[in-house]
Amino acid sequence: MSHEALFREIEKLRTEMTKALMELIRVPAIAPENGGDGEMQKAEKLMKILETVGFDRIERHDAEDQRVSARKRPNIVAYYHGKTDAERLWIVTHLDVVPPGDENHWATTKPFEPLLKDGCVYGRGSEDNGQSLTASVFAVYALKRLGIKPHRTVCLAFVADEEQGSVMGIKHLMNKGIFRKNDLIVVPDSGTSDGSFIETAEKSVLWFKIRTVGKQVHASLPNKGLNAHRIGMQLAVALDKRLHEKYALKDDTFDMPESTFEPTKKERNVEAVNIIPGEDITYFDCRILPNYNVDDVLADINGVAEEFQSKTGAKIALEILQKQPAPKLKADNAQITALLKKALKEARGLEARVGGVGGGTCAAFFRQVGIPAVVWSTVDEVMHQPNEYSKVENMVDDAKVFALLAINP
């Protein structure tokens, strides 16, 4: 059967695909760390969709988590058997989404009330990671409807906890030993608007929290207290300056060529304007080029914190929330990279390029154990933003590429 016939079948599924994406967006799947109850309800919705496709086998590998009402974080693996099971194609997407943020910034729609407008589906999780999740399912659905047995077994993994470190998700699956060294891994969790970029390397990820403790007093008597807010702000600025100056190397193979050290979340301190805060809590998200050792960066962070503690009298505590050193393995010359380049050429006429990104996808965990995973999708990179959207055209076109990865020898 020609590729054109397969592409036509996927096009026929456009409306059904869009409906499925919107159904999934309606179910929030926010981590308990961010005030949510996990991914279970969304997983149950997805299971109903998967059962209509007709996979050869569907497995559940849920992780225990007492923080959520279901007491479990769901991980689903669906298999569509190929002509050979010696070589398997894995497409790994995640169920969880980040919180919507201030809903007043959502001008187009409410975060979990999806809207189809001008060829785009708006809603939290539409692009991250609902678009690729849905595309992977319907790529298999099209093959199934046409009676096409893929060249290699297709395995779709839908995992929990990707946004908060993956302990309950891909790490849980890897600990169960379901992956093989020769598996072909695609993680469609980042990309470019034309789909021409294949990510083969990531930066190290470091998230940390700094707690500054001073002494709370009335704002009219600052001499009797110790303003933790001021010290915390000064410390954050000092860290921002020190880290950017010391770790200033650039590598143009990465989409953001330098290391980044971003102050992000800020916790509420006092209830009134006329109170000097006795506590300040700030968070940083750092994405560090593989050229640097994460422990060296941490040593510098601790050094700056100790300097401020000594000269101000405040108590300063550092807590590491996530530390994921960049794997040394790159997938530039891997089989999956060659297959993906070929599929993009056939489906889109694209000459794909390879390079690195800021990090934080499930691909890094595969590379750490010697499996050369790639990250690819066609996205406008509006993930984590208000008015997040997915272009239906991107979803359909990516499904075509996934189908080619399954059938091409």
Side-chain angles (χ1 to χ4, degrees), residues 239-248 259-262:
L239 281 170
D240 183 77
K241 185 173 186 292
R242 177 81 61 90
L243 295 172
H244 278 102
E245 287 179 350
K246 183 168 181 178
Y247 301 98
S259 299
T260 57
F261 306 94
E262 293 300 308

Side-chain angles (χ1 to χ4, degrees), residues 93-117:
T93 56
H94 63 87
L95 294 162
D96 57 322
V97 302
V98 296
D102 187 348
E103 294 195 18
N104 292 321
H105 295 157
W106 286 73
T108 305
T109 185
K110 291 184 178 180
F112 299 107
E113 296 179 11
L115 172 70
L116 176 62
K117 180 181 179 182

Side-chain angles (χ1 to χ4, degrees), residues 27 95 110 128 153 180 194 217 240 277 292 295 312 321 344:
V27 187
L95 294 162
K110 291 184 178 180
D128 184 24
T153 291
R180 305 172 189 163
D194 66 354
V217 293
D240 183 77
Y292 297 119
D295 288 330
T312 65
L321 303 176
L344 287 169

Side-chain angles (χ1 to χ4, degrees), residues 183-325:
D183 282 342
L184 307 172
I185 311 289
V186 180
V187 180
D189 197 19
S190 181
T192 55
S193 58
D194 66 354
S196 66
F197 180 71
I198 301 171
E199 184 259 282
T200 57
E202 297 186 5
K203 296 177 183 177
S204 298
V205 178
L206 176 64
W207 293 357
F208 64 90
K209 166 184 173 182
I210 291 186
R211 181 171 180 259
T212 303
V213 178
K215 182 180 178 183
Q216 180 175 313
V217 293
H218 195 285
S220 66
L221 301 169
N223 58 309
K224 294 185 178 296
L226 185 60
N227 194 323
H229 186 31
R230 176 184 289 118
I231 296 168
M233 287 192 295
Q234 292 172 341
L235 173 57
V237 170
L239 281 170
D240 183 77
K241 185 173 186 292
R242 177 81 61 90
L243 295 172
H244 278 102
E245 287 179 350
K246 183 168 181 178
Y247 301 98
L249 183 70
K250 292 190 176 183
D251 183 344
D252 289 331
T253 62
F254 284 83
D255 60 346
M256 172 71 75
E258 61 271 347
S259 299
T260 57
F261 306 94
E262 293 300 308
T264 55
K265 183 178 175 181
K266 182 81 172 177
E267 289 196 9
R268 188 174 182 178
N269 46 29
V270 292
E271 302 296 326
V273 177
N274 60 346
I275 301 173
I276 285 179
E279 182 177 75
D280 180 84
I281 298 177
T282 300
Y283 297 77
F284 271 74
D285 180 326
C286 310
R287 309 294 170 124
I288 305 160
L289 287 174
N291 310 68
Y292 297 119
N293 188 310
V294 179
D295 288 330
D296 292 341
V297 177
L298 271 171
D300 282 319
I301 294 167
N302 278 306
V304 175
E306 288 169 5
E307 288 174 19
F308 269 77
Q309 185 166 264
S310 177
K311 72 182 181 183
T312 65
K315 293 181 180 179
I316 298 172
L318 176 72
E319 179 183 347
I320 299 171
L321 303 176
Q322 187 175 164
K323 178 186 172 187
Q324 184 179 314

